[in-house]
């Protein structure tokens, strides 16, 4: 049976890389293809080590999401993700 999640519920889940076992953070935004009604990617803020740097975003393609659990989202980092914005 397929489970459904709201955007607010997904944004409260922590994203974890299954290959490194590392916590990547929480979802800040989601890219959606409105024409085809599909999620394209999730965006996670990445803090740089500087006081004056802007907040960069780590973009993870939706096809790299392995599993959405009760309180975590597991992603596969086999290929590198891109830093955006």
């Amino acid at each position: 049976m397929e489970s459904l999640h709201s955007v607010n519920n997904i944004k409260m889940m922590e994203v974890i890389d299954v290959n490194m076992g590392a916590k990547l953070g929480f979802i800040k935004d989601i890219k959606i293809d409105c024409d085809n009604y599909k999620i394209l990617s999730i965006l996670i803020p990445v803090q740089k080590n500087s006081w004056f740097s802007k907040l960069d975003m780590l973009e993870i393609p939706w096809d790299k999401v392995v599993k959405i659990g009760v309180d975590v989202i597991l992603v596969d980092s086999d290929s590198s993700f891109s830093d955006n914005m």
Side-chain angles (χ1 to χ4, degrees):
M1 181 176 175
E2 186 177 325
S3 61
L4 302 174
H5 298 280
S6 70
V7 173
N8 287 335
N9 187 20
I10 287 176
K11 287 177 78 172
M12 293 174 43
M13 295 180 183
E14 191 163 25
V15 179
I16 298 177
D17 178 0
V18 294
N19 290 321
M20 297 185 311
K23 297 178 182 181
L24 300 177
F26 293 89
I27 296 173
K28 175 71 174 172
D29 210 348
I30 298 173
K31 281 190 178 179
I32 298 175
D33 178 357
C34 294
D35 294 331
N36 296 315
Y37 308 107
K38 292 184 178 183
I39 297 175
L40 299 176
S41 60
I42 56 178
L43 300 170
I44 299 172
V46 176
Q47 183 66 42
K48 297 290 182 182
N49 293 336
S50 171
W51 281 16
F52 302 108
S53 66
K54 69 177 187 173
L55 200 62
D56 289 334
M57 292 287 178
L58 176 66
E59 183 172 358
I60 301 173
W62 186 251
D63 62 352
K64 296 298 177 184
V65 173
V66 176
K67 179 79 173 165
I68 299 177
V70 175
D71 56 356
V72 296
I73 297 174
L74 301 176
V75 296
D76 180 10
S77 71
D78 234 359
S79 62
S80 61
F81 303 134
S82 61
D83 287 332
N84 287 339
M85 299 181 192

